[in-house]
Amino acid sequence: MTFPARLPVLPEWIKVPLSAFLLSRMVVLLAGYLGQVLIHAEPKAGQWHVAPGNLILDPLARFDSGFYLSIITQGYSLNPGEQSNVAFFPLYPLLVNLLQPLFGPGDFGALVAGTVVSHMCFLGALVFLYRLTLLEFGDNQTAARAVVYLCAFPTSFFFSMVYTESTFLLCATATMFYARQRQWGWATVFAFLTTSSRIVGILTYLMVMLEFFRGCPIQPRALWERIRQDILSAVLIHLAPLSLLFHMLFLSFSVSDPLAFWTVQSAWGRENLGPIGSFIKDWKPLVSQNWLTGLNYWNVVLDSIALLCTLGLSVVIWRKLGFSYALYVVLGVLIPASSGIMSMSRYVLILYPLFMLLAHWGKNERLDRTYLTLGYALLGILTVASANWVFVA
């Protein structure tokens, strides 16, 4: 038997994302484990454990994970006036359902399958983020930093949990990667899938449309000429939003409300007050609380910082990366912020242009060291908090 003289070397666009993925997920899994071992918090009402005998996997199912697990094991249901799993989109549960037969029935099998899907999708998202950043900046170091910065973001532990963040990010980055290369077929496929993952996925359809017309003068004749040049692709792109229509038809037949994913939001205390009204509403409990007993609404501060910083950076993103990236970032925070800023520090995870811009600035060594030090420190702290049922985002 003969062996190759030298093992094949992985290309940078695989090696760098894989290294960042392994390091960051080790931090997350270790922090979740130690947080459970060292802090013996007594369970309170509403807290549950899918795998109490497995302190590696159990912290990966908290809060909204319960809704995803219920979709996977029982399907969609609507309880009028109550928090219901119809608020969550179907792509992630469908992927987990495909994999679950390998791991057994019930919540535990769904937890294992969901964890595998989340990690596989996150790794894929990092690969596309690396390649997209390299495409935009032409620099391997900037591409590597974008991947590392996303992994080190304080709330990136959600990419390992039974949440849709990893699936959404994979589809969103793939959509833009193929759109920037004018591969409209693949861009449409991934935009279709992104829209099946979360309501803001519809933004990827707008991004593909903007990329299709990039460089065209904003004049009816010029736009029509661009369509005539590639009318098949122009028609194909418009198939992307159909996944939202299909989901609405499904909800219409199953729970008699095609907009159930939107109308049920009021059960989480969300109201359509607009971003400013929501900001004021969410800050009232923080300002009026008894500060001597501790910050009960500390996550509002985190969410506010995420919202304001994102809006500020969107201007720079427009100048550095273009209008379609900036539009994705601005609407990516304003759409959820119109009904509440809660969970904004999680919502910004999928706004990958932020990390591309930060990676460009990361050429400054002091900024690079500061970001990574604070990022990983907060990632460990917030992972421990989430593992012990402290609401983070």
Side-chain angles (χ1 to χ4, degrees):
M1 182 179 294
T2 59
F3 295 92
R6 185 176 180 182
L7 293 174
V9 178
L10 292 174
E12 288 293 306
W13 58 271
I14 293 179
K15 182 170 64 176
V16 172
L18 180 60
S19 299
F21 169 83
L22 292 175
L23 174 62
S24 64
R25 295 315 93 185
M26 188 182 304
V27 170
V28 168
L29 295 177
L30 183 61
Y33 173 80
L34 292 177
Q36 293 271 77
V37 171
L38 299 178
I39 302 175
H40 300 285
E42 291 295 325
K44 299 177 182 178
Q47 297 179 358
W48 37 265
H49 296 276
V50 178
N54 189 323
L55 299 187
I56 296 292
L57 290 177
D58 189 68
L60 303 181
R62 294 289 184 268
F63 296 101
D64 288 351
S65 298
F67 292 108
Y68 284 110
L69 291 172
S70 69
I71 296 171
I72 295 162
T73 58
Q74 302 167 31
Y76 278 105
S77 62
L78 173 61
N79 300 313
E82 298 180 12
Q83 296 180 359
S84 306
N85 63 21
V86 290
F88 303 91
F89 276 55
L91 180 60
Y92 177 71
L94 283 173
L95 293 176
V96 177
N97 266 321
L98 290 175
L99 205 60
Q100 187 176 2
L102 298 176
F103 302 103
D107 284 347
F108 182 76
L111 170 61
V112 178
T115 301
V116 172
V117 169
S118 292
H119 283 89
M120 290 174 62
C121 287
F122 184 43
L123 179 57
L126 293 177
V127 169
F128 274 110
L129 178 60
Y130 182 96
R131 299 186 69 184
L132 181 59
T133 308
L134 181 61
L135 184 68
E136 296 293 358
F137 289 100
D139 176 40
N140 284 287
Q141 294 301 314
T142 302
R145 282 193 297 271
V147 166
V148 171
Y149 285 4
L150 176 60
C151 288
F153 194 73
T155 55
S156 77
F157 61 88
F158 282 107
F159 288 128
S160 292
M161 297 182 67
V162 181
Y163 271 71
T164 194
E165 266 62 29
S166 294
T167 304
F168 185 99
L169 184 65
L170 169 60
C171 297
T173 51
T175 298
M176 196 55 174
F177 175 75
Y178 287 114
R180 291 293 288 124
Q181 298 192 98
R182 311 190 78 77
Q183 297 184 34
W184 306 118
W186 282 113
T188 301
V189 168
F190 281 104
F192 181 96
L193 293 174
T194 311
T195 309
S196 302
S197 184
R198 186 181 287 175
I199 184 61
V200 294
I202 197 69
L203 297 178
T204 56
Y205 161 67
L206 297 178
M207 293 179 75
V208 175
M209 285 297 299
L210 288 170
E211 289 302 315
F212 183 79
F213 290 108
R214 180 182 276 226
C216 274
I218 307 177
Q219 300 170 356
R221 181 175 295 181
L223 297 175
W224 173 243
E225 185 61 28
R226 174 70 187 96
I227 293 173
R228 285 184 62 240
Q229 290 172 0
D230 193 356
I231 192 167
L232 181 61
S233 296
V235 173
L236 181 67
I237 290 169
H238 288 292
L239 298 178
L242 287 180
S243 58
L244 178 59
L245 177 61
F246 293 155
H247 185 51
M248 291 170 64
L249 288 173
F250 167 77
L251 291 175
S252 180
F253 285 111
S254 60
V255 298
S256 301
D257 183 359
L259 295 175
F261 58 84
W262 186 262
T263 55
V264 78
Q265 294 295 327
S266 59
W268 275 267
R270 289 186 173 272
E271 302 176 69
N272 293 318
L273 302 174
I276 296 177
S278 296
F279 190 90
I280 295 172
K281 173 180 175 287
D282 288 345
W283 264 83
K284 281 183 178 179
L286 180 66
V287 173
S288 62
Q289 73 171 12
N290 185 346
W291 290 60
L292 296 178
T293 60
L295 278 174
N296 297 320
Y297 302 95
W298 63 273
N299 56 295
V300 174
V301 177
L302 196 63
D303 291 330
S304 300
I305 292 172
L307 173 63
L308 297 176
C309 287
T310 299
L311 290 175
L313 292 175
S314 64
V315 178
V316 187
I317 290 171
W318 188 350
R319 295 177 58 189
K320 288 289 184 183
L321 294 168
F323 179 69
S324 56
Y325 283 106
L327 181 68
Y328 173 73
V329 169
V330 170
L331 295 182
V333 291
L334 290 185
I335 289 175
S338 65
S339 59
I341 66 171
M342 180 178 64
S343 300
M344 196 59 62
S345 62
R346 169 164 60 89
Y347 294 154
V348 298
L349 285 173
I350 60 172
L351 304 181
Y352 56 88
L354 291 172
F355 302 96
M356 297 168 67
L357 176 65
L358 289 173
H360 175 65
W361 287 346
K363 294 177 182 178
N364 183 301
E365 291 186 8
R366 180 175 297 179
L367 186 150
D368 181 66
R369 288 195 298 269
T370 301
Y371 180 93
L372 292 177
T373 301
L374 289 177
Y376 268 115
L378 289 172
L379 175 60
I381 293 170
L382 295 183
T383 303
V384 169
S386 176
N388 286 283
W389 280 97
V390 176
F391 183 77
V392 175

